[in-house]
Amino acid sequence: MIIANPAAGGVGADLVWQIVRRCGRPVSVRWTAFPGEGTDIAAAAANTADLVVAVGGDGTAREVAAGLATAWRAVPMLIIPAGTANSLYRSLWGATPWAVALSRALAGAPARRLDLARLDGRLVLSGASAGFSPRVTHAAKARGTSYRAAIEEVAARYRPYPGRVLVDGITVHNGSTLLANVGGSRYRGGEFQLLPHSEPDDGLLDVCVIGGEHEVASILPLTTAGTHLNRPGVVYARGRVVRIERTDGGPLWFEHDGEVLATDRASRTLTVFPAALLMITAAESAASAA
């Protein structure tokens, strides 16, 4: 089963036809018509499909993952990257072309059981963040600009917020906050390796908090190589439950998988959902191989 999102930037009939042709067998294709439909299609596909291919970006992948993770029958999933960021595909496959990934999946490559996170009745796949990142995501979507252009725009006027982050009930950060990222995926925004040590199947959520003393222009380039962790004011932790708070009671800007949530809360809590999803990836992690 192929589930394609026509609203994703790189998805079109030509790409889907290439995927169908490479499958070399009869395959069903479903196009999503509205946000959230990918979840329903995936849940229904789990009754009969032996592989579900999500064609789109990180948001499309999350919808399909949510449907498969809650289905009665475990069916492996493969991502074909065709969105704006494609962060999770990069985390799982690196620079491997999608055609190679598809060939491996069709040849029976083993699937890994990836962790998800629970958030207010939602399932999180790639990751979630508070502060600077959701402001950038909002600006990019509202103005139809690239993520890079939105970073420059938001950085010029962004002010850190007073925040606290707790991991398994222990405070790991309390003070001025540029951003807090939880995952999941090592990469966010396509190129920023905020969680360089994250393993998607170790039963834990990785957390990176960058303090408000850092300027976006100086700290963000370091995240592309994952070399930001040794800087003062940067905290990295792991745990099963992560709570992110805005301590002055103001609205907390928050997103997950590229979807900006309503700014009607001052805190958000994520809980790991271990081994929730079968996913075809480039290789097993150390945790899986052990």
Side-chain angles (χ1 to χ4, degrees):
M1 164 74 76
I2 296 172
I3 302 176
N5 177 11
V11 178
D14 288 346
L15 173 61
V16 173
W17 170 241
Q18 289 182 54
I19 298 169
V20 170
R21 185 163 51 85
R22 288 178 180 275
C23 286
R25 66 185 74 169
V27 58
S28 298
V29 178
R30 291 289 305 273
W31 296 85
T32 59
F34 52 85
E37 189 182 19
T39 298
D40 296 334
I41 296 174
N47 292 321
T48 56
D50 55 6
L51 174 68
V52 175
V53 179
V55 186
D58 292 327
T60 305
R62 190 212 70 84
E63 286 192 7
V64 173
L68 294 178
T70 55
W72 69 274
R73 177 172 171 262
V75 177
M77 172 181 168
L78 176 72
I79 299 171
I80 300 293
T84 303
N86 305 310
S87 302
L88 184 59
Y89 183 87
R90 183 175 183 182
S91 294
L92 298 177
W93 287 94
T96 303
W98 67 260
V100 174
L102 178 61
S103 295
R104 292 180 184 174
L106 295 173
R112 293 164 64 181
R113 282 198 169 272
L114 303 194
D115 306 326
L116 302 181
R118 299 184 188 274
L119 170 70
D120 302 329
R122 296 165 169 260
L123 291 180
V124 178
L125 176 60
S126 296
S129 65
F132 181 74
S133 301
R135 297 293 291 267
V136 171
T137 300
H138 174 76
K141 291 184 176 182
R143 293 163 178 72
T145 60
S146 68
Y147 198 80
R148 268 289 178 184
I151 287 175
E152 295 180 6
E153 176 193 341
V154 174
R157 53 183 170 79
Y158 181 76
R159 297 294 179 268
Y161 69 94
R164 178 167 53 231
V165 178
L166 297 91
V167 178
D168 292 339
I170 299 173
T171 299
V172 298
H173 170 83
N174 191 359
S176 182
T177 310
L178 178 67
L179 66 85
N181 187 82
V182 183
S185 174
R186 293 185 178 186
Y187 290 90
R188 299 301 309 279
E191 60 181 304
F192 304 106
Q193 196 175 179
L194 288 165
L195 303 176
H197 301 313
S198 178
E199 289 290 349
D201 55 359
D202 62 359
L204 298 172
L205 298 173
D206 284 42
V207 186
C208 178
V209 186
I210 299 178
E213 63 266 38
H214 290 283
E215 296 289 336
V216 172
S218 60
I219 194 68
L220 210 57
L222 299 180
T223 67
T224 59
T227 56
H228 57 295
L229 300 186
N230 61 353
R231 294 303 176 103
V234 176
V235 175
Y236 198 95
R238 290 190 180 96
R240 291 176 172 80
V241 180
V242 179
R243 181 175 176 85
I244 300 175
E245 302 174 346
R246 178 163 179 153
T247 55
D248 64 354
L252 179 70
W253 278 81
F254 199 86
E255 64 80 30
H256 77 88
D257 299 294
E259 179 183 353
V260 180
L261 304 185
T263 55
D264 58 350
R265 301 187 186 184
S267 67
R268 298 279 181 175
T269 300
L270 298 100
T271 304
V272 71
F273 182 9
L277 176 70
L278 282 175
M279 179 75 78
I280 307 293
T281 69
E284 289 188 326
S285 69
S288 298

